[in-house]
């Protein structure tokens, strides 16, 4: 705690005085973040640090394994954060950000290690599809590190699918008011990969070519007689193809 208290003291004495007007403005005008980032609670992964965002820029929800439970009527912190971000704040983008060397994914692949952590084991059931994809669709005999990385990447895709089950997200997507992103932060290199829904794989983010999206913003109404003039066959945003062996490996 000594280091935390020292940091707090430094913030109050050195940092805050130069940013007081900004904080006062944020209180006066309220928050207006344009993106929600759902990231892992891992202490090495800070969404604000990675994106170099300041106060008020990001609405952040963190949990073990950057998991999004499928929608249900049971209240939960992740579901509430998603609903509030989309409905109340009107965010335009949602990013699910996984990362390398993820302890949650290690636990997912080694259930015996979770024997004395029943809550963690129950939480990780929302990632079982990622584990099964790698176990059954990827080549046998993979190096353990490669297998762990593949599970962490597939987990981002699985959570994107869960995200689409939330009514607020489904509505915003149908109205063309929201984009979905899947990112993967490589701690050791600082590189960020993004899931491209059209190509069905993760590729490095390149400022020159823009950021790939998992699902682009496009209005969609399934009933033809109510579809607008722009709701043609290409107006509906398409989810990426089902993952296949190495389909999401970085290029």
């Amino acid at each position: 705690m000594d280091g935390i208290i020292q940091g707090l003291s430094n913030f109050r004495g050195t940092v805050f005085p130069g940013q007081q007007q900004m904080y006062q403005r944020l209180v006066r005008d309220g928050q207006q973040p344009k993106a929600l980032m759902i990231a892992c609670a891992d202490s090495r992964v800070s969404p604000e640090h990675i994106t170099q965002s300041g106060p008020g820029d990001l609405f952040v929800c963190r949990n073990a394994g950057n998991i999004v439970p499928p929608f249900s009527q049971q209240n939960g912190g992740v579901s509430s954060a998603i609903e509030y971000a989309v409905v109340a704040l009107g965010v335009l983008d949602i990013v699910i950000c996984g990362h390398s060397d993820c302890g949650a994914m290690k636990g997912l692949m080694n259930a015996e290690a979770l024997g004395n952590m029943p809550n963690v084991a129950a939480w990780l059931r929302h990632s079982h599809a990622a584990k099964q994809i790698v176990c059954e669709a990827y080549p046998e005999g993979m190096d353990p590190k490669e297998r762990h990385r593949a599970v962490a990447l597939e987990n981002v895709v699985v959570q994107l699918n869960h995200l689409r089950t939330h009514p607020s997200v489904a509505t915003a997507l149908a109205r063309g008011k929201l984009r979905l992103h899947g990112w993967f932060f490589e701690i050791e290199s600082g590189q960020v990969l993004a899931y491209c829904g059209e190509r069905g794989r993760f590729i490095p983010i390149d400022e020159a070519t823009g950021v790939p999206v998992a699902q682009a913003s496009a209005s969609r109404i399934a009933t033809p007689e109510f579809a607008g003039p722009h709701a043609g066959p290409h107006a509906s945003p398409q989810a990426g193809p089902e993952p296949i062996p190495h389909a999401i490996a970085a290029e």
Side-chain angles (χ1 to χ4, degrees):
M1 285 296 295
D2 290 344
I4 295 176
I5 297 301
Q6 180 59 45
L8 178 60
S9 177
N10 182 62
F11 171 77
R12 288 284 299 135
T14 305
V15 178
F16 183 78
Q19 299 182 347
Q20 186 171 3
Q21 289 186 347
M22 176 194 68
Y23 280 102
Q24 290 175 341
R25 175 179 55 78
L26 288 172
V27 171
R28 182 184 67 248
D29 300 338
Q31 62 170 325
Q32 298 177 354
K34 299 303 181 185
L36 162 65
M37 182 171 285
I38 302 171
C40 187
D42 192 301
S43 62
R44 301 166 295 177
V45 182
S46 171
E48 294 88 350
H49 189 62
I50 294 171
T51 61
Q52 290 293 283
S53 300
D57 292 339
L58 285 178
F59 195 71
V60 178
C61 178
R62 298 177 67 175
N63 64 72
N66 43 274
I67 285 172
V68 176
F71 178 77
S72 71
Q73 293 301 319
Q74 292 182 336
N75 189 32
V78 178
S79 299
S80 298
I82 292 169
E83 188 173 81
Y84 186 80
V86 174
V87 177
L89 299 178
V91 297
L92 302 176
D93 297 272
I94 299 180
V95 180
I96 296 179
C97 185
H99 67 95
S100 61
D101 197 43
C102 180
M105 295 302 100
K106 290 179 180 178
L108 177 66
M109 298 299 288
N110 183 19
E112 295 79 9
L114 302 177
N116 62 344
M117 292 182 281
N119 286 317
V120 175
W123 177 248
L124 290 178
R125 74 182 186 276
H126 299 301
S127 295
H128 281 182
K131 175 182 178 180
Q132 190 162 342
I133 289 170
V134 173
C135 289
E136 297 187 14
Y138 278 67
E140 296 183 3
M142 291 177 64
D143 178 83
K145 289 185 177 180
E146 291 182 351
R147 182 174 292 269
H148 172 260
R149 184 174 185 274
V151 169
L153 285 162
E154 290 286 1
N155 180 58
V156 173
V157 181
V158 167
Q159 304 314 319
L160 282 168
N161 290 333
H162 290 173
L163 184 60
R164 295 183 181 97
T165 69
H166 289 252
S168 58
V169 173
T171 300
L173 287 172
R175 295 178 62 206
K177 302 293 186 180
L178 186 67
R179 295 183 300 181
L180 304 185
H181 307 263
W183 289 5
F184 188 82
F185 174 55
E186 295 186 332
I187 298 175
E188 59 275 24
S189 68
Q191 186 177 55
V192 178
L193 309 177
Y195 184 72
C196 177
E198 292 185 354
R199 302 173 67 180
R201 64 177 60 203
F202 281 87
I203 59 178
I205 291 179
D206 186 348
E207 293 183 6
T209 58
V211 180
V213 297
Q215 184 161 338
S217 175
S219 300
R220 178 201 62 77
I221 294 180
T223 309
E225 58 266 32
F226 292 105
H230 302 294
H234 301 292
S236 176
Q238 300 294 319
E242 289 296 320
I244 59 176
H246 296 301
I248 63 169
E251 294 185 335

